[in-house]
Amino acid sequence: MTGSMSNGLRVTVFTGDGDLWRRKPLSSEIVHRARKAGLAGASVFRGFEGFGASSLIHTTRLLSLSENLPVAVVIIDEESRIRAFLPELNELVGGGLVVVDKVEIMRPVGREPAS
C-alpha cells in the first residue's frame, strides 16, 4: 500500500476509568475537547489490568480490584495542533500521565486529511 507520509505527534493520556472531570468520565471530556479543538481524531482504549503511581494492581480478574481500570486516550495530529491542545490536557489531567511522541502518519492513496 502506498500513500503520502507526514510527521505528527501522538498524545497518549493514561488514566483510570474512575477518574472524573465535573462528574463526567475524564476520557470522555478529553475526547469531546479534542473534537471541539478540531483535532484529527481521538480514541479511548480500556485496559483489563494495570497499575500506576499507587502501585496497586487493578484487574478485571478479581471483583474486588476491578475498580478504576486503566484507560488510554490516544490523539494523533500535526505537531502544531497537538502542541496547541496540550494546555487543555494540563488543565484536565491531574493524577494521570501524558506522553507525547513523534510519529509518521501515512495517509493511503485517495484519502485526504480532514479539514
PDB file of all heavy atoms in Angstrom, residues 8-39:
ATOM      1  N   GLY A   8       3.982  13.947  12.601  1.00  0.00           N
ATOM      2  CA  GLY A   8       2.996  14.439  13.551  1.00  0.00           C
ATOM      3  C   GLY A   8       3.379  14.050  14.956  1.00  0.00           C
ATOM      4  O   GLY A   8       4.495  13.582  15.208  1.00  0.00           O
ATOM      5  N   LEU A   9       2.462  14.271  15.869  1.00  0.00           N
ATOM      6  CA  LEU A   9       2.651  13.884  17.268  1.00  0.00           C
ATOM      7  C   LEU A   9       1.497  13.008  17.705  1.00  0.00           C
ATOM      8  O   LEU A   9       0.366  13.164  17.241  1.00  0.00           O
ATOM      9  CB  LEU A   9       2.716  15.110  18.181  1.00  0.00           C
ATOM     10  CG  LEU A   9       3.921  16.025  18.050  1.00  0.00           C
ATOM     11  CD1 LEU A   9       3.795  17.193  19.028  1.00  0.00           C
ATOM     12  CD2 LEU A   9       5.224  15.279  18.301  1.00  0.00           C
ATOM     13  N   ARG A  10       1.811  12.083  18.609  1.00  0.00           N
ATOM     14  CA  ARG A  10       0.784  11.257  19.251  1.00  0.00           C
ATOM     15  C   ARG A  10       0.799  11.608  20.730  1.00  0.00           C
ATOM     16  O   ARG A  10       1.843  11.602  21.365  1.00  0.00           O
ATOM     17  CB  ARG A  10       1.098   9.778  19.067  1.00  0.00           C
ATOM     18  CG  ARG A  10       0.173   8.871  19.880  1.00  0.00           C
ATOM     19  CD  ARG A  10       0.465   7.398  19.687  1.00  0.00           C
ATOM     20  NE  ARG A  10       1.896   7.134  19.843  1.00  0.00           N
ATOM     21  CZ  ARG A  10       2.526   6.132  19.246  1.00  0.00           C
ATOM     22  NH1 ARG A  10       1.894   5.309  18.450  1.00  0.00           N
ATOM     23  NH2 ARG A  10       3.819   5.958  19.444  1.00  0.00           N
ATOM     24  N   VAL A  11      -0.359  11.912  21.250  1.00  0.00           N
ATOM     25  CA  VAL A  11      -0.525  12.139  22.679  1.00  0.00           C
ATOM     26  C   VAL A  11      -1.275  10.941  23.231  1.00  0.00           C
ATOM     27  O   VAL A  11      -2.334  10.579  22.710  1.00  0.00           O
ATOM     28  CB  VAL A  11      -1.335  13.421  22.973  1.00  0.00           C
ATOM     29  CG1 VAL A  11      -1.620  13.555  24.452  1.00  0.00           C
ATOM     30  CG2 VAL A  11      -0.630  14.637  22.470  1.00  0.00           C
ATOM     31  N   THR A  12      -0.725  10.343  24.266  1.00  0.00           N
ATOM     32  CA  THR A  12      -1.412   9.263  24.957  1.00  0.00           C
ATOM     33  C   THR A  12      -1.605   9.696  26.407  1.00  0.00           C
ATOM     34  O   THR A  12      -0.633  10.045  27.081  1.00  0.00           O
ATOM     35  CB  THR A  12      -0.608   7.948  24.907  1.00  0.00           C
ATOM     36  OG1 THR A  12      -0.292   7.654  23.549  1.00  0.00           O
ATOM     37  CG2 THR A  12      -1.411   6.799  25.498  1.00  0.00           C
ATOM     38  N   VAL A  13      -2.850   9.704  26.839  1.00  0.00           N
ATOM     39  CA  VAL A  13      -3.177  10.066  28.212  1.00  0.00           C
ATOM     40  C   VAL A  13      -3.535   8.780  28.942  1.00  0.00           C
ATOM     41  O   VAL A  13      -4.483   8.083  28.560  1.00  0.00           O
ATOM     42  CB  VAL A  13      -4.365  11.050  28.281  1.00  0.00           C
ATOM     43  CG1 VAL A  13      -4.673  11.412  29.729  1.00  0.00           C
ATOM     44  CG2 VAL A  13      -4.077  12.291  27.449  1.00  0.00           C
ATOM     45  N   PHE A  14      -2.761   8.440  29.971  1.00  0.00           N
ATOM     46  CA  PHE A  14      -3.026   7.258  30.781  1.00  0.00           C
ATOM     47  C   PHE A  14      -3.749   7.699  32.042  1.00  0.00           C
ATOM     48  O   PHE A  14      -3.268   8.559  32.777  1.00  0.00           O
ATOM     49  CB  PHE A  14      -1.713   6.558  31.152  1.00  0.00           C
ATOM     50  CG  PHE A  14      -0.981   6.004  29.973  1.00  0.00           C
ATOM     51  CD1 PHE A  14       0.040   6.724  29.375  1.00  0.00           C
ATOM     52  CD2 PHE A  14      -1.322   4.769  29.449  1.00  0.00           C
ATOM     53  CE1 PHE A  14       0.729   6.220  28.275  1.00  0.00           C
ATOM     54  CE2 PHE A  14      -0.658   4.258  28.345  1.00  0.00           C
ATOM     55  CZ  PHE A  14       0.372   4.984  27.766  1.00  0.00           C
ATOM     56  N   THR A  15      -4.896   7.116  32.253  1.00  0.00           N
ATOM     57  CA  THR A  15      -5.718   7.469  33.399  1.00  0.00           C
ATOM     58  C   THR A  15      -6.514   6.241  33.813  1.00  0.00           C
ATOM     59  O   THR A  15      -6.227   5.134  33.360  1.00  0.00           O
ATOM     60  CB  THR A  15      -6.614   8.685  33.037  1.00  0.00           C
ATOM     61  OG1 THR A  15      -7.303   9.123  34.192  1.00  0.00           O
ATOM     62  CG2 THR A  15      -7.578   8.377  31.922  1.00  0.00           C
ATOM     63  N   GLY A  16      -7.487   6.406  34.668  1.00  0.00           N
ATOM     64  CA  GLY A  16      -8.328   5.291  35.090  1.00  0.00           C
ATOM     65  C   GLY A  16      -9.773   5.548  34.733  1.00  0.00           C
ATOM     66  O   GLY A  16     -10.193   6.700  34.590  1.00  0.00           O
ATOM     67  N   ASP A  17     -10.553   4.481  34.576  1.00  0.00           N
ATOM     68  CA  ASP A  17     -11.952   4.682  34.190  1.00  0.00           C
ATOM     69  C   ASP A  17     -12.788   5.294  35.307  1.00  0.00           C
ATOM     70  O   ASP A  17     -13.893   5.748  35.077  1.00  0.00           O
ATOM     71  CB  ASP A  17     -12.586   3.402  33.638  1.00  0.00           C
ATOM     72  CG  ASP A  17     -12.738   2.296  34.662  1.00  0.00           C
ATOM     73  OD1 ASP A  17     -12.308   2.458  35.818  1.00  0.00           O
ATOM     74  OD2 ASP A  17     -13.293   1.249  34.297  1.00  0.00           O
ATOM     75  N   GLY A  18     -12.240   5.366  36.498  1.00  0.00           N
ATOM     76  CA  GLY A  18     -12.943   6.018  37.604  1.00  0.00           C
ATOM     77  C   GLY A  18     -12.600   7.490  37.745  1.00  0.00           C
ATOM     78  O   GLY A  18     -13.169   8.192  38.576  1.00  0.00           O
ATOM     79  N   ASP A  19     -11.666   7.989  36.933  1.00  0.00           N
ATOM     80  CA  ASP A  19     -11.274   9.393  37.011  1.00  0.00           C
ATOM     81  C   ASP A  19     -12.324  10.259  36.341  1.00  0.00           C
ATOM     82  O   ASP A  19     -12.746   9.984  35.205  1.00  0.00           O
ATOM     83  CB  ASP A  19      -9.912   9.608  36.354  1.00  0.00           C
ATOM     84  CG  ASP A  19      -8.793   8.926  37.129  1.00  0.00           C
ATOM     85  OD1 ASP A  19      -8.991   8.646  38.328  1.00  0.00           O
ATOM     86  OD2 ASP A  19      -7.740   8.661  36.531  1.00  0.00           O
ATOM     87  N   LEU A  20     -12.736  11.304  37.046  1.00  0.00           N
ATOM     88  CA  LEU A  20     -13.832  12.155  36.584  1.00  0.00           C
ATOM     89  C   LEU A  20     -13.380  13.594  36.395  1.00  0.00           C
ATOM     90  O   LEU A  20     -12.427  14.051  37.024  1.00  0.00           O
ATOM     91  CB  LEU A  20     -14.983  12.128  37.596  1.00  0.00           C
ATOM     92  CG  LEU A  20     -15.591  10.768  37.934  1.00  0.00           C
ATOM     93  CD1 LEU A  20     -16.644  10.925  39.022  1.00  0.00           C
ATOM     94  CD2 LEU A  20     -16.187  10.124  36.695  1.00  0.00           C
ATOM     95  N   TRP A  21     -14.111  14.284  35.536  1.00  0.00           N
ATOM     96  CA  TRP A  21     -13.990  15.734  35.363  1.00  0.00           C
ATOM     97  C   TRP A  21     -15.404  16.283  35.493  1.00  0.00           C
ATOM     98  O   TRP A  21     -16.254  16.029  34.639  1.00  0.00           O
ATOM     99  CB  TRP A  21     -13.394  16.086  33.995  1.00  0.00           C
ATOM    100  CG  TRP A  21     -13.392  17.565  33.722  1.00  0.00           C
ATOM    101  CD1 TRP A  21     -14.286  18.246  32.949  1.00  0.00           C
ATOM    102  CD2 TRP A  21     -12.486  18.528  34.233  1.00  0.00           C
ATOM    103  NE1 TRP A  21     -13.980  19.578  32.938  1.00  0.00           N
ATOM    104  CE2 TRP A  21     -12.871  19.786  33.723  1.00  0.00           C
ATOM    105  CE3 TRP A  21     -11.379  18.465  35.076  1.00  0.00           C
ATOM    106  CZ2 TRP A  21     -12.193  20.956  34.021  1.00  0.00           C
ATOM    107  CZ3 TRP A  21     -10.703  19.637  35.359  1.00  0.00           C
ATOM    108  CH2 TRP A  21     -11.106  20.859  34.846  1.00  0.00           C
ATOM    109  N   ARG A  22     -15.672  16.959  36.599  1.00  0.00           N
ATOM    110  CA  ARG A  22     -17.007  17.508  36.863  1.00  0.00           C
ATOM    111  C   ARG A  22     -18.096  16.449  36.681  1.00  0.00           C
ATOM    112  O   ARG A  22     -19.040  16.616  35.919  1.00  0.00           O
ATOM    113  CB  ARG A  22     -17.261  18.729  35.990  1.00  0.00           C
ATOM    114  CG  ARG A  22     -16.276  19.827  36.296  1.00  0.00           C
ATOM    115  CD  ARG A  22     -16.555  21.073  35.530  1.00  0.00           C
ATOM    116  NE  ARG A  22     -15.554  22.082  35.883  1.00  0.00           N
ATOM    117  CZ  ARG A  22     -15.311  23.153  35.187  1.00  0.00           C
ATOM    118  NH1 ARG A  22     -15.996  23.394  34.087  1.00  0.00           N
ATOM    119  NH2 ARG A  22     -14.398  23.995  35.566  1.00  0.00           N
ATOM    120  N   ARG A  23     -17.931  15.317  37.356  1.00  0.00           N
ATOM    121  CA  ARG A  23     -18.881  14.191  37.393  1.00  0.00           C
ATOM    122  C   ARG A  23     -19.054  13.463  36.067  1.00  0.00           C
ATOM    123  O   ARG A  23     -20.002  12.736  35.874  1.00  0.00           O
ATOM    124  CB  ARG A  23     -20.240  14.646  37.923  1.00  0.00           C
ATOM    125  CG  ARG A  23     -20.188  15.098  39.357  1.00  0.00           C
ATOM    126  CD  ARG A  23     -21.580  15.337  39.880  1.00  0.00           C
ATOM    127  NE  ARG A  23     -21.535  16.496  40.738  1.00  0.00           N
ATOM    128  CZ  ARG A  23     -22.421  17.468  40.749  1.00  0.00           C
ATOM    129  NH1 ARG A  23     -23.460  17.408  39.960  1.00  0.00           N
ATOM    130  NH2 ARG A  23     -22.294  18.475  41.562  1.00  0.00           N
ATOM    131  N   LYS A  24     -18.149  13.675  35.139  1.00  0.00           N
ATOM    132  CA  LYS A  24     -18.198  13.036  33.829  1.00  0.00           C
ATOM    133  C   LYS A  24     -16.870  12.290  33.644  1.00  0.00           C
ATOM    134  O   LYS A  24     -15.841  12.753  34.128  1.00  0.00           O
ATOM    135  CB  LYS A  24     -18.354  14.142  32.780  1.00  0.00           C
ATOM    136  CG  LYS A  24     -18.410  13.713  31.364  1.00  0.00           C
ATOM    137  CD  LYS A  24     -18.642  14.966  30.503  1.00  0.00           C
ATOM    138  CE  LYS A  24     -18.471  14.669  29.046  1.00  0.00           C
ATOM    139  NZ  LYS A  24     -18.676  15.856  28.222  1.00  0.00           N
ATOM    140  N   PRO A  25     -16.878  11.128  32.960  1.00  0.00           N
ATOM    141  CA  PRO A  25     -15.607  10.421  32.773  1.00  0.00           C
ATOM    142  C   PRO A  25     -14.547  11.323  32.125  1.00  0.00           C
ATOM    143  O   PRO A  25     -14.827  12.003  31.127  1.00  0.00           O
ATOM    144  CB  PRO A  25     -15.975   9.255  31.851  1.00  0.00           C
ATOM    145  CG  PRO A  25     -17.433   9.042  32.075  1.00  0.00           C
ATOM    146  CD  PRO A  25     -18.006  10.404  32.360  1.00  0.00           C
ATOM    147  N   LEU A  26     -13.354  11.332  32.691  1.00  0.00           N
ATOM    148  CA  LEU A  26     -12.273  12.166  32.179  1.00  0.00           C
ATOM    149  C   LEU A  26     -11.968  11.835  30.722  1.00  0.00           C
ATOM    150  O   LEU A  26     -11.759  12.741  29.905  1.00  0.00           O
ATOM    151  CB  LEU A  26     -11.012  11.979  33.039  1.00  0.00           C
ATOM    152  CG  LEU A  26      -9.776  12.727  32.580  1.00  0.00           C
ATOM    153  CD1 LEU A  26     -10.008  14.231  32.550  1.00  0.00           C
ATOM    154  CD2 LEU A  26      -8.597  12.390  33.486  1.00  0.00           C
ATOM    155  N   SER A  27     -11.961  10.560  30.376  1.00  0.00           N
ATOM    156  CA  SER A  27     -11.658  10.174  28.993  1.00  0.00           C
ATOM    157  C   SER A  27     -12.662  10.785  28.020  1.00  0.00           C
ATOM    158  O   SER A  27     -12.298  11.249  26.937  1.00  0.00           O
ATOM    159  CB  SER A  27     -11.625   8.650  28.849  1.00  0.00           C
ATOM    160  OG  SER A  27     -12.866   8.091  29.229  1.00  0.00           O
ATOM    161  N   SER A  28     -13.917  10.824  28.405  1.00  0.00           N
ATOM    162  CA  SER A  28     -14.948  11.414  27.555  1.00  0.00           C
ATOM    163  C   SER A  28     -14.737  12.923  27.399  1.00  0.00           C
ATOM    164  O   SER A  28     -14.894  13.475  26.302  1.00  0.00           O
ATOM    165  CB  SER A  28     -16.331  11.130  28.149  1.00  0.00           C
ATOM    166  OG  SER A  28     -17.342  11.685  27.356  1.00  0.00           O
ATOM    167  N   GLU A  29     -14.366  13.581  28.465  1.00  0.00           N
ATOM    168  CA  GLU A  29     -14.120  15.023  28.405  1.00  0.00           C
ATOM    169  C   GLU A  29     -12.941  15.322  27.473  1.00  0.00           C
ATOM    170  O   GLU A  29     -12.994  16.271  26.685  1.00  0.00           O
ATOM    171  CB  GLU A  29     -13.838  15.580  29.804  1.00  0.00           C
ATOM    172  CG  GLU A  29     -13.603  17.076  29.849  1.00  0.00           C
ATOM    173  CD  GLU A  29     -14.812  17.927  29.476  1.00  0.00           C
ATOM    174  OE1 GLU A  29     -15.966  17.430  29.511  1.00  0.00           O
ATOM    175  OE2 GLU A  29     -14.610  19.113  29.144  1.00  0.00           O
ATOM    176  N   ILE A  30     -11.896  14.494  27.537  1.00  0.00           N
ATOM    177  CA  ILE A  30     -10.747  14.690  26.655  1.00  0.00           C
ATOM    178  C   ILE A  30     -11.164  14.532  25.197  1.00  0.00           C
ATOM    179  O   ILE A  30     -10.808  15.351  24.340  1.00  0.00           O
ATOM    180  CB  ILE A  30      -9.615  13.714  27.021  1.00  0.00           C
ATOM    181  CG1 ILE A  30      -9.046  14.061  28.404  1.00  0.00           C
ATOM    182  CG2 ILE A  30      -8.511  13.743  25.956  1.00  0.00           C
ATOM    183  CD1 ILE A  30      -8.114  13.016  28.974  1.00  0.00           C
ATOM    184  N   VAL A  31     -11.932  13.494  24.893  1.00  0.00           N
ATOM    185  CA  VAL A  31     -12.388  13.257  23.516  1.00  0.00           C
ATOM    186  C   VAL A  31     -13.235  14.425  23.015  1.00  0.00           C
ATOM    187  O   VAL A  31     -13.048  14.913  21.899  1.00  0.00           O
ATOM    188  CB  VAL A  31     -13.169  11.928  23.414  1.00  0.00           C
ATOM    189  CG1 VAL A  31     -13.891  11.809  22.077  1.00  0.00           C
ATOM    190  CG2 VAL A  31     -12.237  10.743  23.627  1.00  0.00           C
ATOM    191  N   HIS A  32     -14.163  14.884  23.839  1.00  0.00           N
ATOM    192  CA  HIS A  32     -15.022  15.993  23.416  1.00  0.00           C
ATOM    193  C   HIS A  32     -14.224  17.280  23.189  1.00  0.00           C
ATOM    194  O   HIS A  32     -14.491  18.027  22.246  1.00  0.00           O
ATOM    195  CB  HIS A  32     -16.155  16.212  24.417  1.00  0.00           C
ATOM    196  CG  HIS A  32     -17.234  15.196  24.288  1.00  0.00           C
ATOM    197  ND1 HIS A  32     -17.184  13.974  24.920  1.00  0.00           N
ATOM    198  CD2 HIS A  32     -18.377  15.189  23.575  1.00  0.00           C
ATOM    199  CE1 HIS A  32     -18.253  13.278  24.609  1.00  0.00           C
ATOM    200  NE2 HIS A  32     -18.996  13.990  23.791  1.00  0.00           N
ATOM    201  N   ARG A  33     -13.243  17.540  24.045  1.00  0.00           N
ATOM    202  CA  ARG A  33     -12.419  18.738  23.857  1.00  0.00           C
ATOM    203  C   ARG A  33     -11.529  18.609  22.620  1.00  0.00           C
ATOM    204  O   ARG A  33     -11.295  19.597  21.921  1.00  0.00           O
ATOM    205  CB  ARG A  33     -11.579  19.002  25.098  1.00  0.00           C
ATOM    206  CG  ARG A  33     -12.406  19.526  26.250  1.00  0.00           C
ATOM    207  CD  ARG A  33     -11.534  20.167  27.256  1.00  0.00           C
ATOM    208  NE  ARG A  33     -12.270  20.530  28.461  1.00  0.00           N
ATOM    209  CZ  ARG A  33     -11.792  21.349  29.381  1.00  0.00           C
ATOM    210  NH1 ARG A  33     -10.585  21.850  29.254  1.00  0.00           N
ATOM    211  NH2 ARG A  33     -12.507  21.631  30.437  1.00  0.00           N
ATOM    212  N   ALA A  34     -11.029  17.412  22.355  1.00  0.00           N
ATOM    213  CA  ALA A  34     -10.207  17.199  21.152  1.00  0.00           C
ATOM    214  C   ALA A  34     -11.040  17.460  19.903  1.00  0.00           C
ATOM    215  O   ALA A  34     -10.575  18.079  18.947  1.00  0.00           O
ATOM    216  CB  ALA A  34      -9.633  15.781  21.147  1.00  0.00           C
ATOM    217  N   ARG A  35     -12.281  17.003  19.920  1.00  0.00           N
ATOM    218  CA  ARG A  35     -13.179  17.238  18.777  1.00  0.00           C
ATOM    219  C   ARG A  35     -13.458  18.721  18.609  1.00  0.00           C
ATOM    220  O   ARG A  35     -13.414  19.269  17.499  1.00  0.00           O
ATOM    221  CB  ARG A  35     -14.479  16.477  18.976  1.00  0.00           C
ATOM    222  CG  ARG A  35     -15.425  16.621  17.796  1.00  0.00           C
ATOM    223  CD  ARG A  35     -16.599  15.662  17.939  1.00  0.00           C
ATOM    224  NE  ARG A  35     -17.432  15.720  16.781  1.00  0.00           N
ATOM    225  CZ  ARG A  35     -18.631  16.291  16.754  1.00  0.00           C
ATOM    226  NH1 ARG A  35     -19.129  16.827  17.856  1.00  0.00           N
ATOM    227  NH2 ARG A  35     -19.341  16.313  15.657  1.00  0.00           N
ATOM    228  N   LYS A  36     -13.742  19.385  19.726  1.00  0.00           N
ATOM    229  CA  LYS A  36     -14.018  20.822  19.687  1.00  0.00           C
ATOM    230  C   LYS A  36     -12.803  21.605  19.183  1.00  0.00           C
ATOM    231  O   LYS A  36     -12.949  22.615  18.487  1.00  0.00           O
ATOM    232  CB  LYS A  36     -14.412  21.312  21.083  1.00  0.00           C
ATOM    233  CG  LYS A  36     -14.828  22.753  21.147  1.00  0.00           C
ATOM    234  CD  LYS A  36     -15.275  23.138  22.542  1.00  0.00           C
ATOM    235  CE  LYS A  36     -15.638  24.606  22.601  1.00  0.00           C
ATOM    236  NZ  LYS A  36     -15.966  25.031  23.964  1.00  0.00           N
ATOM    237  N   ALA A  37     -11.598  21.108  19.492  1.00  0.00           N
ATOM    238  CA  ALA A  37     -10.364  21.767  19.049  1.00  0.00           C
ATOM    239  C   ALA A  37     -10.060  21.473  17.586  1.00  0.00           C
ATOM    240  O   ALA A  37      -9.107  22.021  17.025  1.00  0.00           O
ATOM    241  CB  ALA A  37      -9.197  21.316  19.925  1.00  0.00           C
ATOM    242  N   GLY A  38     -10.861  20.601  16.959  1.00  0.00           N
ATOM    243  CA  GLY A  38     -10.666  20.306  15.552  1.00  0.00           C
ATOM    244  C   GLY A  38      -9.549  19.323  15.261  1.00  0.00           C
ATOM    245  O   GLY A  38      -9.041  19.268  14.144  1.00  0.00           O
ATOM    246  N   LEU A  39      -9.153  18.545  16.262  1.00  0.00           N
ATOM    247  CA  LEU A  39      -8.093  17.561  16.046  1.00  0.00           C
ATOM    248  C   LEU A  39      -8.597  16.432  15.157  1.00  0.00           C
ATOM    249  O   LEU A  39      -9.794  16.196  15.035  1.00  0.00           O
ATOM    250  CB  LEU A  39      -7.580  17.030  17.381  1.00  0.00           C
ATOM    251  CG  LEU A  39      -6.926  18.094  18.275  1.00  0.00           C
ATOM    252  CD1 LEU A  39      -6.522  17.508  19.614  1.00  0.00           C
ATOM    253  CD2 LEU A  39      -5.730  18.710  17.574  1.00  0.00           C
TER     254      LEU A  39
END
